[in-house]
Amino acid sequence: MTHQPNRIALAAMAALAATTMGCATTPTTTTTAPAAPTRAAVGADLLVRDVRVIDPERRLVLEHRDVLVRDGMILAIEPTDSLAVAAAKVIDGSGKTLLPGYIDMHAHVGYAMLHQPTLSMMLANGITGVRDMSADCRDDEGGMLMCREQLLDSREKIANGTMAGPDLLSLGTAKIDSNRGEDITGRAALYRVATPDQARAAVAAFDAEGMEFLKVSQEFMPDAFAALLEEAAARNLRVTGHVPMMYSVGEVAAMGMASIEHARDLPLDCSGHGSVYRGAIAAALKGEADWPDRDAMPGLARNSFDPALCADQLAAMRAAGTAYVPTHLTREMDYRAADPAYRDDPRLAYISAPQRGFWDRDLDRTAQASDDQRADLEDFFDLGLRTTRMAHEAGVAVMVGTDANDTMVFPGFSYHDEMAHLAAAGLSPMDVLRAATTVPATFLGRADLGGIAPGKRADFLLLSGDPLADIDDSDTISLVVQRGRIHDRAALDALLADVRAFVAATDAAMAAQDAASGGGQ
């Protein structure tokens, strides 16, 4: 992939030069004017004509442009009608906005039954790339979670166009932690890392399997976690995920974590309660104290918020190059679980009965919070927005991720809600678009993605609205182009119709099963 943009860019330059240069003529004494040179047409697979282009990578807005695509790459971007173009397909972009496809940097697409519906909803909502945060099965979860080989097969099918969905750009492990039974055997034992030796062995095994990153849980023994990071660094293997409970955000950044997920740890560590809470957990692990009250944590963090402490945490993240994926959607669920308007979201039409049942059980548990606790959780959500803005202002790479398929996180659809949360946090519309496109592409080392320029891969969206004027226009999608393949609005609507049909069939089968077993009486 890395050499093709250069080859195509050179071809584009040659083709464009041919349209602006006449043939050289030898001076003669004749008075007859030379014939006007023939203007050669530039060949393209696709021409999006007279469109407004937003290139977040260069922070550019270009009005009235023709965008040419050939062989799945952007060939040229020129003022409208300034080139003669022979295109197999022409799309009128007048009055519309073209920008890069979105990348979801925290998603779960590997639930076997939900795999294709999830991919379809994502593509229909403009997501052309995904980092999957649990792209592997363990022995005890193989029935529900797809295994790595299956996801690699899906990656190939998406790449060659035989499966609809965003490209699976980065596939890592499921959660690794220390909190598993000592009697675990087989491959599942790799996911139990309670000692330094187990950590080093697990990293070596995952590296040999070709895992693209390691995901860690917050439930870790300190020496095992330190050994895992050391071994991963020695193998140039990234570690991402949750912050182990005894460490702060700044500490794990300095230890080498590549990205930190969820707006939970940073708000805590931006408060005076952070060190108290982490210290109590460290003491509890040693058997020297009781576990701290987790339910009291949000309110105590809010009450002791300290911008100076926050600046120290963010400076450590910036120095280490640690990125941040806040997934504010997950903290929204914490305080809205009892809200009928939240629970009656019309997008539940895209969620089948088994998944709705899981979500309802989670919502019911979370809704047991008292009114005071719910107020604390809402304030903690707001503190998460505030610290995300501070992270962005401090130069930390903030990226859009949703935790797709977690409770009340609708694959694809909720991506636009998370973009709105970043705007509410205080990021400018351009910076929100960068967090959705350019910053993830840079983090993943994908120079061919995240921008609109010759030599970039043709992964882009055509919007009827203007997300720079109103970020809520991020979902006004008329067209998705992925690897140069065109998915028009009718095709995107057909994907969503397929999901609704899947939901209807699944719900009917479940109802029939309940009736047959007497559960429907």
Side-chain angles (χ1 to χ4, degrees):
M1 291 299 296
T2 55
H3 68 277
Q4 187 159 332
N6 293 331
R7 177 178 62 80
I8 291 177
L10 290 173
M13 292 169 61
L16 295 178
T19 68
T20 56
M21 295 174 58
C23 298
T25 59
T26 302
T28 67
T29 58
T30 180
T31 59
T32 304
T38 302
R39 192 182 187 204
V42 178
D45 301 321
L46 170 64
L47 165 63
V48 183
R49 183 184 174 279
D50 193 21
V51 71
R52 180 176 188 249
V53 172
I54 298 176
D55 178 15
E57 185 171 36
R58 294 176 292 168
R59 297 182 179 273
L60 286 180
V61 179
L62 305 171
E63 302 287 351
H64 302 292
R65 288 301 193 269
D66 288 351
V67 178
L68 283 66
V69 173
R70 188 165 70 199
D71 297 332
M73 310 296 290
I74 296 175
L75 178 67
I77 303 170
E78 296 295 327
T80 297
D81 296 336
S82 63
L83 294 179
V85 180
K89 175 76 173 178
V90 179
I91 293 171
D92 181 11
S94 57
K96 293 184 169 67
T97 301
L98 187 148
L99 73 165
Y102 306 133
I103 300 174
D104 191 332
M105 287 298 286
H106 190 121
H108 299 276
V109 308
Y111 293 108
M113 186 178 74
L114 306 176
H115 184 54
Q116 185 59 72
T118 294
L119 297 176
S120 295
M121 286 187 279
M122 286 182 156
L123 187 62
N125 278 279
I127 298 172
T128 57
V130 166
R131 179 176 67 153
D132 189 274
M133 297 300 291
S134 54
D136 190 29
C137 62
R138 298 187 294 268
D139 290 351
D140 57 341
E141 296 183 3
M144 180 178 70
L145 289 176
M146 297 172 67
C147 296
R148 176 174 171 79
E149 294 77 11
Q150 295 170 290
L151 286 162
L152 289 172
D153 182 60
S154 289
R155 172 188 274 179
E156 179 63 26
K157 289 176 179 176
I158 292 167
N160 65 33
T162 58
M163 175 182 281
D167 279 286
L168 305 183
L169 298 174
S170 188
L171 302 174
T173 66
K175 285 193 297 188
I176 306 166
D177 61 41
S178 301
N179 190 22
R180 301 183 191 279
E182 295 182 7
D183 58 346
I184 255 179
T185 59
R187 189 166 183 284
L190 289 178
Y191 282 97
R192 181 185 183 274
V193 171
T195 69
D197 286 346
Q198 289 173 342
R200 286 186 280 269
V203 174
F206 287 133
D207 187 29
E209 291 180 3
M211 291 292 182
E212 291 154 23
F213 64 89
L214 309 179
K215 181 183 179 181
V216 295
S217 171
Q218 62 180 349
E219 299 173 332
F220 248 100
M221 297 303 292
D223 55 350
F225 180 72
L228 182 140
L229 283 173
E230 289 171 3
E231 186 68 22
R235 295 173 177 271
N236 199 29
L237 190 59
R238 279 176 158 174
V239 178
T240 71
H242 301 179
V243 175
M245 292 184 290
M246 72 293 301
Y247 291 117
S248 72
V249 164
E251 287 170 335
V252 298
M255 293 169 73
M257 278 192 72
S259 72
I260 292 170
E261 317 296 310
H262 312 307
R264 176 178 56 213
D265 295 287
L266 181 58
L268 169 64
D269 293 323
C270 285
S271 75
H273 184 59
S275 59
V276 174
Y277 187 80
R278 306 289 189 190
I281 288 172
L285 284 172
K286 298 175 183 177
E288 298 172 355
D290 293 333
W291 290 93
D293 184 354
R294 184 173 180 176
D295 290 338
M297 184 272 286
L300 293 170
R302 173 204 59 209
N303 294 343
S304 59
F305 175 73
D306 186 336
L309 289 175
C310 206
D312 291 342
Q313 298 292 319
L314 296 174
M317 291 181 71
R318 171 66 187 272
T322 303
Y324 188 40
V325 188
T327 67
H328 292 292
L329 295 161
T330 53
R331 301 286 74 79
E332 181 182 17
M333 191 280 286
D334 290 345
Y335 80 89
R336 296 194 66 190
D339 180 356
Y342 180 71
R343 295 185 64 153
D344 292 338
D345 194 305
R347 297 173 294 186
L348 286 166
Y350 294 95
I351 305 300
S352 62
Q355 188 175 13
R356 289 199 307 272
F358 177 84
W359 285 9
D360 283 341
R361 290 189 292 275
D362 194 19
L363 287 163
D364 290 343
R365 285 192 300 269
T366 309
Q368 297 304 309
S370 68
D371 290 344
D372 287 345
Q373 288 173 329
R374 192 171 297 114
D376 289 348
L377 288 167
E378 184 172 6
D379 289 346
F380 193 71
F381 168 81
D382 291 337
L383 185 60
L385 296 180
R386 181 177 179 182
T387 51
T388 292
R389 184 192 70 245
M390 294 175 70
H392 171 69
E393 291 174 347
V396 173
V398 175
M399 303 185 290
V400 179
T402 62
D403 217 356
N405 280 315
D406 195 13
T407 303
M408 297 302 286
V409 182
F410 303 90
F413 293 100
S414 289
Y415 193 91
H416 305 285
D417 300 336
E418 185 67 13
M419 293 174 78
H421 285 326
L422 292 186
L427 274 68
S428 71
M430 181 63 85
D431 284 324
V432 173
L433 294 180
R434 285 175 56 81
T437 59
T438 306
V439 180
T442 300
F443 179 87
L444 294 172
R446 295 297 300 264
D448 58 332
L449 302 176
I452 302 295
K456 295 283 187 181
R457 199 168 83 181
D459 282 18
F460 57 75
L461 315 177
L462 197 61
L463 307 184
S464 60
D466 179 4
L468 291 182
D470 184 350
I471 200 62
D472 288 343
D473 281 354
S474 65
D475 64 354
T476 59
I477 298 167
S478 301
L479 187 80
V480 174
V481 174
Q482 181 193 28
R483 294 176 174 265
R485 303 186 190 105
I486 301 168
H487 305 270
D488 62 16
R489 190 63 252 175
L492 300 176
D493 287 341
L495 289 175
L496 295 178
D498 287 345
V499 177
R500 292 193 299 272
F502 160 80
V503 170
T506 303
D507 289 1
M510 188 170 180
Q513 183 179 1
D514 286 346
S517 64
Q521 296 179 352

